[in-house]
């Protein structure tokens, strides 16, 4: 480690020595009306052969500069939309004249009329880049009026299961970020947040299977970065969207509206986004389970759980950038989302005896109301050291997650003659308050034209405070009696300190990038004031990237990285989460992090068609397991560490422009998951003593996924899109899943000089996007079927207004990059 550090310092020092014979070039650009020309493209060219030396943009004062330029003869070329190109006379930079300030840089307005120019080229829905796959959401018709989660499900290699767990290329524990910052939510709650987010707010989705060292080491499957829309206009501009959707099953309404604003003038840029959402939907769970012991069936359950859901939310983002001068920028950003989630449950279970005959019936009615709010604030400072790309940034972040969940459950149990034999009434309240603080700094230091050094550090602190209270309502007077097994408080505090170095070098045909990240974790958990866990550990995460340009048409890439996944704060919480008296979920305070080593080799043809082979092993894999108590007929789900999982796969991304008006993109992924480990089984003896034994698990399956999108450009500004995806049977530890898939269709019309867009689309036309699976392991036999309202028709209208020449608000990556992915609050 020290050797690498001294080597990089030596390279920087050598570069400083070599650049002594250098000078500076600057200037200010105005037009023929003596007005400043902002953000013009400025290129420095060698006078001898006009080869490019460096490029820059003029700032808001029309000024630009080139630093550390080798002595010689040069010219400058300046261009900007609406003006004629400007070339300066030749000038010389030498020891006698090592600072050149160009004068008389006056641009003439171009007399050509640009109002009728039409841009016919557009980015495809799915685009393959060197280090990532990019999904251009705005270019998709079937995404109109959809949620961000529905768009994510259409992305290549991405699947979302019945519980909202997001997988990338067959691997779970993906780190999901928004504009470079984490969402701080667990799988199911992140999925609910994305259901409340409109696709009209999303610009693109970036998929990175092997991210570099500058990203937090969390997420064994890689990183999904959802980039929100930023306007690119000067003055005031924006867009407004309204949409209405209906499901085919119960014609449940879904309304959404979105307003996006951007204002830029002088040194100040202000931007905001406001979105409202109201949706009604339903879900049907059909669960059949048998309680088996030594191959003999003791009893069984046939359970149908219906839920009617309504979630209303309002999200907002406001921010400002202040350009102090050409080198320094400070910005603030505030994000927020508030919502109400309401759910009415009707859970009916037929309890059977050993012969499979009905023994009794249990009916549970549930009324759940969840009020939640998510807030985050970022302060960012950026300093440009010089025009060669040297810069450093600092971010300070704070995020708050609040959730108050009121639950009412009323259970009635009937005998075989439908006579009421038992009632169980209970009320519950869970409250979660999570505060997250983070500070980070990053330095980018290009050594020369072919090499670059990056270094950074980050420190984060999390305080997760959770309370759960449950009370039984006893007797005719509904006297309240506290349930001690489910009334408790859990406090978890965690501090993570990290640092990284990254070095990249470009040779003639070979690109090399080496990275090293170190993370130190300190976590303490207390239950009812008593220490439950205390952990301190430090890990090293190397990364290596190689890319060879074999020819003009062929490129070969190879990468390796090591990553970590820490348990979510909720998974460490030993609370019991209730569905009915026989079914619940509980946390596991003994859950440990899992570690993944991944290697990937890729081949790219014509910068488009990409073939990738990947292998990874995750040790101590956290997986969801099913536990049963045969005596009490109880079933619960929890997370547990088992031995390891091997993932081996091959994928193809094939974007094909079939004709000028027909573009096709196909993604195919074939992979094998192999789970090996021990699953605990707890039995209760006649004396009431619990005994736990470990049962070996060895499960594997080969699965394939396919995504296909066809886009058709028609006359009179009409366009059509047809898309679909499919996943074959799969295995996740104890769970065996059956095939899933969906087909979607959309049509679009542009009018009012392309400022207005009307889109009609139908998602999941044949209503095939539903989950069916089973837990079949030793004495466990559970069959699951889950359907929801995925088939929805939507009509969406969008209108863009304002000036169309405004510079975009800055893209920034805040310091909240991993912790958000471990919060189970908000967006329910």
């Amino acid at each position: 480690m020290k050797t690498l550090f001294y080597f990089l310092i030596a390279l920087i020092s050598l570069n400083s020595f070599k650049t002594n014979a250098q000078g500076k070039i600057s200037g200010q650009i105005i037009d023929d009306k003596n007005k400043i020309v902002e953000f013009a493209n400025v290129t420095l060219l060698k006078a001898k052969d006009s080869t490019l030396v460096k490029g820059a943009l003029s700032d808001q004062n029309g000024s630009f500069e080139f630093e550390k330029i080798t002595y010689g003869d040069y010219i400058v070329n300046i261009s900007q939309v609406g003006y004629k190109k400007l070339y300066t006379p030749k000038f010389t930079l030498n020891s006698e004249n090592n600072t050149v300030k160009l004068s008389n840089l006056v641009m003439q307005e171009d007399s050509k009329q640009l109002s009728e120019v039409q841009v016919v080229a557009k980015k495809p829905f799915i685009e393959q880049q060197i280090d990532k796959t990019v999904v251009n959401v705005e270019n998709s018709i079937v995404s109109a009026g959809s949620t961000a989660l529905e768009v994510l499900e259409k992305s290549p290699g991405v699947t979302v299961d019945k519980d909202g767990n997001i997988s990338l290329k067959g691997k779970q524990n993906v780190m999901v970020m928004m504009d470079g910052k984490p969402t701080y939510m667990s799988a199911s709650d992140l999925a609910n947040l994305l259901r409340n987010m409109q696709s009209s707010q999303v610009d693109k989705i970036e998929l990175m299977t092997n991210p570099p060292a500058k990203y937090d080491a969390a997420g064994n499957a890689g990183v999904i970065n959802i980039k929100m829309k930023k306007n690119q206009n000067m003055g005031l501009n924006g867009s407004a969207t309204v949409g209405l959707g209906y499901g085919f099953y119960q014609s449940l309404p879904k309304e959404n509206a979105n307003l996006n604003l951007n204002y830029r003038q002088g040194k100040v840029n202000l931007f905001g986004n406001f979105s409202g959402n109201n949706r009604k939907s339903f879900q049907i769970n059909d669960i059949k389970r048998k309680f088996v012991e030594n191959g003999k069936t003791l009893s069984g359950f046939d359970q149908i759980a219906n839920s009617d859901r309504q979630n209303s939310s309002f999200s907002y983002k406001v921010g400002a950038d202040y350009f102090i001068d050409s080198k320094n920028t400070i910005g603030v950003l505030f994000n927020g989302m508030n919502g109400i989630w309401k759910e009415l449950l009707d859970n009916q279970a037929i309890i059977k005896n050993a012969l499979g005959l009905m023994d009794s019936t249990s009916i549970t009615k549930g009324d759940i109301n969840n009020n939640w709010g998510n807030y985050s604030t970022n302060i960012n400072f950026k300093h440009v050291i010089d025009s060669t790309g040297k810069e450093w940034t600092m971010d300070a972040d704070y995020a708050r997650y609040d959730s108050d969940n009121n639950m009412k459950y009323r259970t009635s149990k009937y005998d075989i003659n439908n006579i009421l034999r038992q009632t169980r009434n209970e009320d519950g309240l869970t409250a979660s308050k999570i505060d997250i603080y983070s500070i980070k700094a990053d330095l980018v230091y290009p050594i020369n034209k072919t090499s670059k050094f990056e270094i950074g550090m980050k420190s984060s602190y999390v305080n997760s405070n959770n309370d759960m209270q449950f009370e039984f309502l006893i007797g005719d007077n509904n006297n309240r009696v506290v349930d001690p097994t489910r009334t408790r408080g859990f406090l978890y505090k965690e501090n993570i300190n990290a640092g990284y170095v990254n070095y990249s070098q470009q040779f003639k045909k070979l690109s090399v990038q080496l990275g090293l990240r170190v993370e130190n974790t300190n976590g303490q958990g207390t239950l009812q004031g008593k220490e439950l866990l205390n952990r301190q550990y430090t890990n090293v995460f190397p990364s290596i990237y190689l890319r060879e340009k074999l020819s003009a048409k062929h490129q070969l890439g190879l990468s390796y990285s090591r990553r970590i996944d820490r348990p979510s704060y909720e998974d460490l919480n030993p609370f019991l989460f209730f569905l009915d008296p026989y079914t619940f979920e509980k946390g596991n305070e003994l859950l440990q992090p899992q570690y993944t080593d991944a290697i990937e080799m890729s081949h790219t043809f014509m910068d488009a068609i990409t073939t990738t082979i990947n292998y990874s092993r995750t040790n101590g894999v956290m997986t969801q397991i099913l536990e049963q108590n045969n005596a009490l007929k109880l079933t619960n789900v929890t997370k547990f560490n088992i031995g390891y999982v091997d993932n081996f796969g091959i994928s193809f991304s094939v974007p094909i422009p079939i004709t000028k008006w027909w573009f096709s993109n196909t993604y195919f992924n074939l992979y094998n998951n192999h789970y090996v480990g021990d699953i605990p089984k707890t039995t209760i003896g006649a004396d009431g003593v619990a005994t736990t034994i470990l049962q070996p698990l060895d499960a594997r399956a080969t699965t394939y996924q396919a995504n296909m999108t066809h886009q058709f450009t028609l006359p009179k500004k009409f366009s059509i899109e047809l898309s679909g995806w499919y996943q074959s049977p799969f295995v996740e530890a104890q769970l065996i899943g059956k095939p899933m898939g969906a087909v979607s269709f959309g049509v679009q019309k542009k009018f009012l000089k392309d400022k207005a867009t009307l889109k009609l689309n139908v998602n999941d036309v044949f209503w095939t996007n539903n989950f069916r699976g089973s837990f079949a392991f030793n004495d466990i036999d559970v069959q699951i079927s889950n359907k929801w309202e995925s088939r929805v028709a939507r009509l969406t209208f969008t209108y863009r207004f304002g000036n169309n020449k405004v510079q975009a608000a800055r893209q920034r990556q805040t310091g909240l990059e991993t912790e958000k992915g471990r919060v189970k609050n908000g967006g329910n």
Side-chain angles (χ1 to χ4, degrees):
M1 175 65 182
K2 289 184 177 180
T3 304
L4 174 62
F5 178 75
Y6 293 142
F7 171 68
L8 295 172
I9 294 299
L11 285 177
I12 296 172
S13 301
L14 177 61
N15 179 70
S16 299
F17 173 78
K18 290 169 62 179
T19 57
N20 284 338
Q22 296 175 342
K24 183 170 74 170
I25 302 165
S26 63
Q28 186 181 36
I29 310 166
I30 60 175
D31 64 12
D32 51 2
K33 295 180 181 178
N34 205 32
K35 292 182 179 180
I36 291 173
V37 179
E38 299 178 329
F39 311 113
N41 292 300
V42 186
T43 53
L44 180 65
L45 310 174
K46 289 184 178 179
K48 180 179 179 180
D49 53 10
S50 295
T51 56
L52 176 65
V53 179
K54 281 186 180 179
L57 285 176
S58 63
D59 61 16
Q60 67 275 3
N61 298 315
S63 301
F64 67 91
E65 66 178 18
F66 298 102
E67 293 183 322
K68 296 184 179 180
I69 304 301
T70 306
Y71 293 161
D73 296 330
Y74 298 98
I75 60 174
V76 168
N77 172 34
I78 305 172
S79 63
Q80 178 60 293
V81 175
Y83 295 94
K84 296 179 181 179
K85 284 187 178 182
L86 174 65
Y87 288 90
T88 67
K90 183 180 76 171
F91 58 90
T92 302
L93 197 67
N94 52 36
S95 57
E96 290 78 22
N97 188 28
N98 62 1
T99 301
V100 174
K101 187 170 184 178
L102 301 172
S103 59
N104 197 31
L105 299 178
V106 181
M107 302 192 73
Q108 303 293 324
E109 287 192 2
D110 196 343
S111 60
K112 296 178 181 178
Q113 298 297 320
L114 300 179
S115 60
E116 297 302 322
V117 174
Q118 295 184 3
V119 179
V120 295
K122 67 176 182 178
K123 293 182 179 180
F125 177 51
I126 300 173
E127 183 181 10
Q128 186 68 48
Q129 297 184 3
I130 291 177
D131 57 346
K132 65 178 75 77
T133 300
V134 179
V135 181
N136 295 300
V137 177
E138 190 172 17
N139 291 333
S140 172
I141 302 170
V142 299
S143 299
S146 302
T147 66
L149 182 66
E150 290 169 330
V151 175
L152 189 61
E153 287 181 299
K154 297 184 178 74
S155 303
V158 178
T159 56
V160 182
D161 69 12
K162 65 181 180 63
D163 298 317
N165 297 298
I166 298 172
S167 299
L168 181 59
K169 289 190 174 181
K171 296 187 291 183
Q172 290 190 5
N173 300 296
V174 182
M175 182 168 71
V176 179
M177 306 167 68
M178 292 184 185
D179 285 335
K181 70 174 183 178
T183 50
Y184 273 133
M185 296 181 183
S186 69
S188 59
D189 294 310
L190 172 60
N192 286 322
L193 174 67
L194 296 177
R195 287 189 188 102
N196 283 284
M197 183 178 296
Q198 305 305 309
S199 62
S200 58
Q201 299 174 254
V202 180
D203 178 32
K204 61 182 66 175
I205 299 173
E206 298 176 336
L207 310 174
M208 293 171 276
T209 53
N210 267 2
K214 71 178 297 181
Y215 289 94
D216 287 356
N220 82 80
V223 171
I224 296 177
N225 185 26
I226 301 174
K227 301 184 76 171
M228 311 304 287
K229 283 186 179 178
K230 300 289 192 301
N231 279 326
Q232 298 182 349
N233 301 335
M234 184 62 73
L236 175 66
N237 79 341
S239 63
T241 300
V242 292
L244 181 65
Y246 275 92
F248 284 84
Y249 183 71
Q250 294 180 351
S251 297
L252 298 177
K254 302 160 199 320
E255 304 98 359
N256 65 277
N258 176 265
L259 177 64
N260 199 41
L261 296 172
N262 193 78
Y263 177 78
R264 183 161 186 153
Q265 195 67 40
K267 294 185 176 183
V268 178
N269 186 69
L270 305 174
F271 53 94
N273 183 279
F274 309 91
S275 180
N277 170 65
N278 182 54
R279 293 172 182 264
K280 293 182 179 180
S281 61
F282 70 91
Q283 182 167 278
I284 302 173
N285 284 302
D286 187 350
I287 306 172
K288 293 180 172 58
R289 44 187 160 159
K290 295 179 181 179
F291 293 89
V292 181
E293 193 167 298
N294 299 322
K296 181 181 179 181
T297 300
L298 303 179
S299 60
F301 267 68
D302 286 351
Q303 183 176 2
I304 296 180
N306 295 319
S307 64
D308 291 325
R309 301 173 172 183
Q310 179 178 0
N311 53 317
S312 303
S313 65
F314 179 71
S315 64
Y316 42 94
K317 173 193 288 186
V318 292
D321 291 324
Y322 180 72
F323 302 90
I324 302 172
D325 51 38
S326 60
K327 292 187 176 182
N328 298 285
T329 305
I330 189 170
V332 294
L333 180 67
F334 181 78
N335 281 289
M337 178 179 282
N338 297 83
I340 300 175
W341 170 275
K342 297 182 179 181
E343 185 172 13
L344 295 177
L345 296 173
D346 184 359
N347 191 347
Q348 301 191 31
I350 298 175
I351 304 173
K352 298 180 178 181
N353 58 26
L355 300 176
L357 301 175
M358 186 178 74
D359 179 72
S360 59
T361 303
S362 176
I363 299 176
T364 298
K365 303 285 187 178
D367 187 351
I368 301 172
N369 289 271
N370 186 3
N371 292 277
W372 52 269
N374 307 330
Y375 319 92
S376 62
T377 303
N378 166 259
I379 300 176
N380 170 274
F381 179 76
K382 178 180 178 181
H383 173 68
V384 177
I385 300 174
D386 59 31
S387 60
T388 64
K390 299 184 181 71
E391 65 178 38
W392 65 271
T393 58
M394 290 192 65
D395 287 271
D397 294 87
Y398 169 71
R400 171 72 180 227
Y401 293 82
D402 290 331
S403 177
D404 291 300
N405 198 5
N406 288 279
M407 300 162 285
K408 295 182 179 181
Y409 297 100
R410 304 293 183 260
T411 301
S412 302
K413 189 173 182 180
Y414 300 85
D415 64 15
I416 192 172
N417 297 314
N418 202 29
I419 299 175
L420 180 64
R421 295 298 185 186
Q422 182 181 353
T423 60
R424 171 173 167 161
N425 301 327
E426 52 201 310
D427 292 346
L429 173 64
T430 61
S432 180
K433 315 291 181 185
I434 301 178
D435 295 283
I436 304 169
Y437 307 85
S438 172
I439 186 169
K440 78 181 186 81
D442 299 278
L443 170 67
V444 179
Y445 197 99
I447 300 172
N448 51 44
K449 293 181 180 180
T450 60
S451 60
K452 182 171 66 174
F453 173 67
E454 297 174 90
I455 190 170
M457 60 173 290
K458 174 189 171 183
S459 182
S460 66
Y461 175 78
V462 177
N463 184 47
S464 175
N465 196 342
N466 305 271
D467 287 305
M468 173 177 279
Q469 301 177 23
F470 260 92
E471 297 175 327
F472 290 111
L473 279 62
I474 306 297
D476 296 335
N477 295 326
N478 288 331
N479 297 319
R480 295 183 175 272
V481 178
V482 173
D483 179 5
T485 64
R486 289 182 291 164
T487 298
R488 56 186 69 184
F490 177 69
L491 177 64
Y492 182 72
K493 297 180 179 181
E494 184 179 76
N495 167 241
I496 300 177
N497 304 297
Y500 75 89
V501 291
N502 218 50
Y503 176 75
S504 58
Q505 176 74 52
Q506 176 69 52
F507 298 97
K508 187 175 181 180
K509 292 186 177 181
L510 177 66
S511 300
V512 179
Q513 180 173 300
L514 306 175
L516 186 68
R517 186 177 185 91
V518 179
E519 294 188 352
N520 169 257
T521 305
N522 306 277
Q524 298 84 36
T526 58
L527 182 67
Q528 300 294 89
K530 296 181 180 180
E531 186 173 272
L532 194 63
L533 59 92
N534 192 332
R535 297 174 182 170
Q536 292 85 34
Y537 51 93
T538 300
N539 302 115
V540 178
F541 303 98
S543 59
I544 302 172
Y545 304 86
L546 305 172
R547 181 166 290 273
E548 175 81 15
K549 190 168 185 177
L550 304 177
S551 66
K553 295 183 178 180
H554 298 272
Q555 292 187 60
L556 195 63
L558 181 67
S559 65
Y560 162 80
S561 68
R562 178 172 172 81
R563 304 189 67 77
I564 185 176
D565 288 286
R566 300 175 182 88
S568 72
Y569 311 128
E570 188 76 4
D571 288 336
L572 291 171
N573 187 344
F575 288 177
L576 303 180
F577 297 92
F578 182 77
L579 177 62
D580 67 13
Y582 304 98
T583 314
F584 59 93
E585 181 180 354
K586 66 177 182 178
N588 179 9
E589 70 275 12
L590 301 179
L591 203 57
Q592 298 288 332
Q594 64 181 24
Y595 298 88
T596 299
D597 293 273
I599 187 169
E600 184 173 285
M601 183 169 63
S602 64
H603 172 265
T604 304
F605 176 68
M606 295 289 289
D607 291 327
I609 301 176
T610 303
T611 303
T612 303
I613 299 175
N614 63 277
Y615 168 77
S616 68
R617 167 166 284 194
T618 301
N619 290 299
V621 59
M622 295 181 291
T623 187
Q624 197 173 66
I625 66 170
L626 202 65
E627 298 177 320
Q628 289 191 162
N629 184 323
N630 290 346
L632 300 178
K633 300 182 178 64
L634 300 180
T635 301
N636 73 269
V637 176
T638 189
K639 284 281 187 73
F640 189 79
N641 295 100
I642 66 172
Y644 65 86
V645 57
D646 284 333
N647 174 275
F648 178 79
I650 182 171
S651 63
F652 306 91
S653 179
V654 187
I656 300 176
I658 299 175
T659 67
K660 291 183 179 180
W661 51 270
W662 182 2
F663 182 86
S664 171
N665 194 99
T666 300
Y667 175 85
F668 182 82
N669 181 31
L670 178 70
Y671 64 90
N672 179 274
N673 277 343
H674 184 198
Y675 289 84
V676 177
D678 294 317
I679 303 293
K681 178 185 178 182
T682 302
T683 58
I684 308 295
D687 55 359
V689 178
T691 304
T692 300
I693 60 173
L694 294 177
Q695 299 176 312
L697 171 73
D698 190 332
R700 70 163 71 214
T702 299
T703 305
Y704 67 88
Q705 301 169 335
N707 298 67
M708 181 173 287
T709 303
H710 294 272
Q711 295 175 323
F712 305 90
T713 302
L714 305 179
K716 297 183 179 182
K717 298 184 179 180
F718 277 96
S719 55
I720 292 176
E721 181 176 309
L722 180 66
S723 67
W725 65 273
Y726 177 81
Q727 176 176 282
S728 68
F730 60 93
V731 164
E732 292 177 7
Q734 289 178 308
L735 177 64
I736 301 173
K738 294 185 178 181
M740 301 175 63
V743 173
S744 300
F745 171 81
V747 59
Q748 171 182 285
K749 165 68 175 176
K750 290 186 176 182
F751 52 100
L752 296 180
K753 296 182 179 180
D754 289 348
K755 290 186 176 182
T757 304
L758 187 65
K759 300 179 181 180
L760 174 65
N761 63 284
V762 181
N763 281 330
D764 193 8
V765 175
F766 304 107
W767 202 20
T768 53
N769 186 15
N770 55 78
F771 174 81
R772 294 169 299 143
S774 62
F775 286 87
F777 178 71
N778 291 339
D779 289 343
I780 294 177
D781 186 353
V782 178
Q783 307 293 321
I784 302 172
S785 175
N786 180 243
K787 293 180 72 69
W788 56 92
E789 195 176 34
S790 57
R791 182 169 59 175
V792 178
R794 294 182 176 90
L795 184 66
T796 306
F797 174 77
T798 301
Y799 182 76
R800 296 174 178 84
F801 55 87
N803 193 344
N804 60 359
K805 297 181 182 179
V806 175
Q807 184 73 16
R810 288 188 304 144
Q811 293 280 1
R812 70 187 72 174
Q813 177 178 314
T814 72
L816 305 178
E817 295 186 0
T818 302
E819 295 78 10
K820 278 189 175 180
R822 299 169 59 206
V823 176
K824 282 194 174 181
N825 285 326
N828 286 306

